[in-house]
Amino acid sequence: MKQRALLLVDLQNDFCAGGALAVYEGDSTVDVANTLIDWCEARGEAVLATQDWHPAHHGSFASQHNVEPFTQGELDGLPQTFWPDHCVQESEGAQLHPLLNRAAVQATIRKGENPAIDSYSAFFDNGHRQKTGLEAWLRQRDIVELIVMGLATDYCVKFTVLDALQLGYTVNVITDGCRGVNVQPQDSAQAFMEMAAAGATLYTLADWQETQG
Ligand code: VGL
Ligand code: ZN
């Protein structure tokens, strides 16, 4: 039978208050995640989480190029925003948020491990050269529909959603479960429009609860 899963994107300490790449109100997404986890568990739907998981000298780090964080450059032939060092493997900052109901997470997909290329999407690296294990995990369980939320709206959520749509998944985005980096102030709003234009359906948590049996 066709199944649905909740995909929690990068709900990690480094994207929350006090973290290396803190996103405005990032922590506020954790309550939304826990509510959706309960909702999915009650219906027997799978819960997955992703983790940005970089080696200490990852090529997306501004520190590796002697440039200021949030400047633009190139990595492996692709345009790249250079970031503060963040989500370094095994560090506190890379852990899932302590208030997230982590016991309910059935699988964790790690990405960004190759130092030569960044990986925003939970499915592929930014060059679509290598796959994570996410698609195989979903296929094995007949999962064809995703509920997606997390951090950051304008990077990992957006590229995960666009790849999922391209792969043929039905995608529902819970907007109040997302917060963005907003290097430019409208980036998150733009990202939601791109996701919707590509075929995602956007819901607030309240809309979702009201409209889905
Ligand atoms: C992310 C920037 C760099 C994200 C990860 O999770 O959206 N953004 N690495
Ligand atoms: Zn990263």
Side-chain angles (χ1 to χ4, degrees):
M1 208 176 68
K2 303 225 179 302
Q3 305 289 337
R4 185 162 63 187
L6 172 62
L7 182 60
L8 304 169
V9 177
D10 296 0
L11 295 179
Q12 292 166 277
N13 290 325
D14 268 344
F15 298 117
C16 293
L21 182 39
V23 162
Y24 179 67
E25 292 180 342
D27 304 70
S28 71
T29 62
V30 174
D31 277 350
V32 177
N34 286 337
T35 301
L36 281 171
I37 287 171
D38 289 347
W39 194 93
C40 287
E41 277 198 319
R43 288 161 180 78
E45 298 182 3
V47 179
L48 295 98
T50 66
Q51 264 178 319
D52 208 32
W53 195 252
H54 297 308
H57 302 287
H58 195 266
S60 72
F61 295 172
S63 60
Q64 299 303 301
H65 308 273
N66 297 310
V67 296
E68 288 298 313
F70 305 105
T71 55
Q72 297 293 320
E74 213 178 82
L75 185 62
D76 209 7
L78 301 169
Q80 175 72 44
T81 301
F82 292 120
W83 304 109
D85 292 15
H86 65 279
C87 296
V88 172
Q89 295 171 4
E90 312 298 345
S91 69
E92 191 57 34
Q95 304 309 310
L96 295 175
H97 193 287
L99 297 179
L100 180 69
N101 178 5
R102 288 170 291 178
V105 175
Q106 288 156 33
T108 304
I109 306 294
R110 289 174 169 170
K111 60 188 180 58
E113 293 170 281
N114 177 351
I117 192 163
D118 213 350
S119 196
Y120 296 142
S121 163
F123 291 96
F124 301 98
D125 63 55
N126 288 2
H128 277 222
R129 291 167 197 154
Q130 286 206 311
K131 275 189 179 188
T132 65
L134 179 56
E135 199 191 355
W137 198 98
L138 297 172
R139 194 179 317 112
Q140 275 165 15
R141 291 160 181 83
D142 269 336
I143 295 166
V144 297
E145 178 171 358
L146 299 172
I147 307 163
V148 183
M149 56 148 286
L151 304 170
T153 312
D154 37 359
Y155 292 93
C156 292
V157 172
K158 175 175 116 173
F159 287 101
T160 296
V161 166
L162 295 180
D163 278 346
L165 290 165
Q166 207 168 57
L167 290 167
Y169 294 92
T170 299
V171 183
N172 310 284
V173 180
I174 308 301
T175 53
D176 44 352
C178 301
R179 289 294 186 281
V181 178
N182 292 328
V183 172
Q184 302 296 326
Q186 333 79 330
D187 283 355
S188 289
Q190 187 90 41
F192 283 131
M193 288 196 288
E194 281 178 59
M195 292 185 256
T201 309
L202 310 185
Y203 296 87
T204 62
L205 175 63
D207 284 345
W208 179 259
Q209 290 171 311
E210 210 172 289
T211 59
Q212 305 291 313

